[in-house]
């Protein structure tokens, strides 16, 4: 570690995003500690990580979680906490627990929440005169009759994840299968076909210091990306730049876009936290500088980057809805030629630990009665419930 290196704590240590970020920070000369609510987290054995702590689950014990992170920060002189998943919202509520000399790489709760809430995010766009797809919020069965859509529309809860419980609905469908939560109403949003893109940005006070745009390739259920290639889309970058500057956001953030050949560019939703785009950066890109705001020029991934989550590809990528028109021959070719984001030269132990890590996650799936994709992150989600 160089003399200018910082001590950074990364949350959600089981995540491939956390693993890749830890490697990028360590390559920049920083000391990395990770935490998670499960004991077998793949970052725990990475050569990039010098310390690991098991902590309470943020979803089910949010105050205890934040207090324990604050204790670790004080005991180990942590300079920065970088949250990865929806524990970002929980930490933003309790920033006062942390010492002033440690930066939490996030924004205030009001902004984090408006960006996270899918209805509030669309309202933010309306307030700024940004074109949106038609949308409406409803919180009861009686309000379904008031939905006014001419064609198909998506139905999802305002606090939800991209690969979970997104339903395509047509006007007149009864939707009698919906369940209602007072803290988490539903959003109806116009369904539009077109080229789909995702972004990832590292931002300080509204200024972008690192950015990646990638098309939706292989994806769980057609929405949660498993493969990553870098593209340049000036329209998307300009949109993200203008929007973030107007909000003075600090943190990691991603947006989902649809680019329609006739109707233009629309933003479907915002994820004010880490997204899979972090896995597109390589150590020499020095994305660690973006978190501290020390780079003068925008950091972007290499043009030739081709990476994938190969365990996810093995579990989901072969399915027709994940391949999205690609043949099985193409699938096997890409599995051979794309780089894996988990097992990399010089840091193979996280890949070796995967079976044990997934065994622990499967136990969580049984405990919470959810599927594997949901169980992976279930105890780090926040669905708008009062803490």
């Amino acid at each position: 570690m160089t003399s200018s290196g910082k001590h950074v704590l990364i949350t959600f240590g089981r995540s491939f995003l956390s693993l890749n970020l830890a490697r990028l920070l360590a390559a920049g000369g920083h000391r990395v500690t990770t935490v998670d609510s499960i004991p077998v987290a793949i970052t725990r054995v990475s050569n990039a990580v010098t310390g690991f702590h098991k902590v309470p689950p943020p979803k089910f014990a949010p105050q205890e979680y934040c207090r324990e992170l604050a204790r670790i920060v004080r005991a180990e002189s942590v300079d920065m906490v970088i949250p990865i998943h929806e524990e970002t919202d929980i930490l933003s509520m309790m920033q006062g627990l942390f010492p002033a000399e440690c930066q939490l790489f996030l924004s205030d709760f009001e902004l984090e929440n408006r960006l996270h809430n899918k209805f509030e995010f669309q309202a933010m766009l309306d307030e700024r005169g940004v074109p949106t797809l038609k949308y409406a919020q409803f919180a009861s069965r009686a309000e379904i009759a008031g939905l006014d859509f001419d064609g198909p529309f998506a139905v999802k809860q305002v606090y939800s994840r991209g690969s979970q419980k997104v339903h395509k609905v047509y006007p007149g469908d009864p939707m009698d299968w919906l369940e209602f939560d007072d803290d988490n109403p539903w959003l109806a949003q116009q369904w539009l076909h077109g080229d789909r893109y995702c972004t990832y940005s590292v931002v300080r006070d509204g200024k972008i210091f690192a950015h990646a745009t990638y098309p939706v390739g292989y994806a769980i259920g057609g929405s949660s990306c498993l493969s990553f290639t870098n593209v340049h889309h000036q329209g998307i970058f300009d949109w993200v730049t203008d929007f973030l500057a107007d909000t003075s956001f600090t943190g990691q953030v991603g947006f989902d876009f649809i680019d329609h050949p006739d109707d233009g560019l629309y933003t479907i939703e915002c994820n004010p936290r880490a997204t899979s785009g972090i896995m597109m950066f390589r150590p020499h890109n020095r994305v660690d500088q973006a978190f501290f705001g020390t780079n003068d020029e925008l950091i972007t991934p290499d043009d030739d980057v081709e990476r994938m989550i190969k365990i996810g590809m093995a579990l989901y990528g072969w399915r027709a809805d994940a391949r999205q028109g690609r043949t099985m021959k193409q699938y096997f070719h890409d599995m051979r030629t794309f780089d894996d984001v988990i097992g990399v030269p010089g840091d193979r132990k996280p890949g070796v630990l995967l079976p044990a890590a997934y065994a622990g996650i499967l136990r969580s799936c049984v405990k919470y009665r959810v599927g594997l994709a949901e169980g992976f992150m279930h105890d780090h989600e926040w669905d708008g419930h009062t803490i």
Side-chain angles (χ1 to χ4, degrees):
M1 185 173 69
T2 64
S3 59
S4 61
K6 303 290 188 179
H7 185 186
V8 181
L9 185 150
I10 303 174
T11 65
F12 201 38
R14 77 191 72 171
S15 172
F16 311 137
L17 282 65
S18 304
L19 175 63
N20 279 266
L21 178 55
R23 288 167 171 163
L24 295 169
L25 290 169
H30 306 285
R31 176 186 171 196
V32 179
T33 294
T34 62
V35 300
D36 204 310
S37 58
I38 61 173
V40 184
I42 57 172
T43 56
R44 185 170 190 164
V45 297
S46 171
N47 294 335
V49 174
T50 59
F52 173 85
H53 295 272
K54 184 177 181 297
V55 295
K59 179 173 182 174
F60 302 109
Q63 296 186 33
E64 294 86 346
Y65 173 81
C66 291
R67 290 193 183 100
E68 179 60 11
L69 261 62
R71 185 197 65 79
I72 296 167
V73 164
R74 288 189 172 90
E76 301 190 5
S77 300
V78 172
D79 297 298
M80 177 180 284
V81 174
I82 303 178
I84 297 297
H85 195 46
E86 292 176 10
E87 66 277 5
T88 303
D89 298 87
I90 296 168
L91 285 166
S92 70
M93 298 181 209
M94 304 188 194
Q95 296 188 53
L97 293 174
F98 292 80
E101 58 269 23
C102 174
Q103 181 184 6
L104 272 63
F105 197 68
L106 44 73
S107 293
D108 62 82
F109 173 71
E110 181 180 2
L111 180 55
E112 292 281 355
N113 183 46
R114 289 206 78 190
L115 294 172
H116 181 185
N117 182 304
K118 290 173 169 47
F119 174 78
E120 288 293 332
F121 172 61
Q122 295 299 317
M124 287 181 72
L125 299 184
D126 265 343
E127 292 165 8
R128 289 160 171 78
V130 178
T132 68
L133 296 175
K134 188 174 184 177
Y135 68 98
Q137 180 176 270
F138 61 103
S140 68
R141 200 163 302 282
E143 295 177 6
I144 293 176
L147 297 177
D148 181 23
F149 287 87
D150 298 327
F153 55 97
V155 170
K156 51 194 173 183
Q157 287 182 290
V158 298
Y159 296 106
S160 59
R161 284 93 245 154
S163 61
Q164 299 176 20
K165 300 178 182 177
V166 178
H167 309 277
K168 187 176 184 180
V169 178
Y170 290 85
D173 285 355
M175 292 191 282
D176 51 8
W177 38 267
L178 284 180
E179 297 179 358
F180 290 90
D181 179 341
D182 290 341
D183 293 317
N184 194 4
W186 292 87
L187 175 75
Q189 186 177 42
Q190 177 187 350
W191 193 284
L192 183 69
H193 292 285
D195 296 328
R196 294 185 297 154
Y197 299 92
C198 299
T199 68
Y200 168 79
S201 303
V202 181
V203 189
R204 296 181 68 93
D205 299 320
K207 180 181 177 181
I208 301 174
F209 285 83
H211 177 83
T213 300
Y214 50 104
V216 177
Y218 293 93
I220 300 173
S223 59
S224 186
C225 291
L226 295 168
S227 63
F228 315 100
T229 57
N230 186 42
V231 298
H232 298 275
H233 192 303
Q234 192 62 44
I236 286 177
F237 180 71
D238 291 344
W239 190 104
V240 174
T241 300
D242 292 343
F243 178 80
L244 292 174
D246 188 52
T247 61
S248 298
F249 177 83
T250 292
Q252 301 174 91
V253 63
F255 298 91
D256 295 342
F257 289 90
I258 289 182
D259 195 354
H260 190 275
D262 299 319
D263 296 338
L265 192 66
Y266 289 94
T267 314
I268 304 303
E269 61 186 49
C270 174
N271 298 298
R273 53 189 176 272
T275 70
S276 298
I278 187 62
M279 296 187 286
M280 297 172 63
F281 292 91
R282 293 165 171 156
H284 69 263
N285 297 134
R286 292 301 308 272
V287 77
D288 64 290
Q289 295 177 351
F291 286 89
F292 298 99
T294 57
N295 54 298
D296 295 323
E297 296 186 4
L298 180 72
I299 297 170
T300 58
D302 299 329
D303 288 338
D304 65 348
V305 64
E306 291 184 328
R307 307 193 79 190
M308 61 173 48
I309 305 171
K310 291 202 172 179
I311 181 65
M313 287 288 290
L315 291 170
Y316 302 102
W318 53 271
R319 300 178 182 181
D321 62 349
R323 288 186 283 116
Q324 302 185 77
R326 295 173 180 82
T327 64
M328 286 299 295
K329 181 179 179 180
Q330 183 68 41
Y331 166 79
F332 286 116
H333 173 270
D334 292 340
M335 282 284 281
R336 289 194 307 271
T337 59
F338 277 50
D339 294 328
D340 187 19
V341 302
I342 304 165
V344 301
D347 195 24
R348 299 289 189 186
K349 287 182 287 185
V352 174
L353 190 66
L354 269 179
Y358 266 86
I361 292 167
L362 284 170
R363 285 195 293 272
S364 296
C365 294
V366 173
K367 178 180 179 180
Y368 299 123
R369 299 182 180 180
V370 295
L372 181 59
E374 294 173 84
F376 185 83
M377 60 189 73
H378 185 68
D379 61 355
H380 279 63
E381 294 171 355
W382 184 71
D383 290 338
H385 299 145
T386 301
I387 294 176

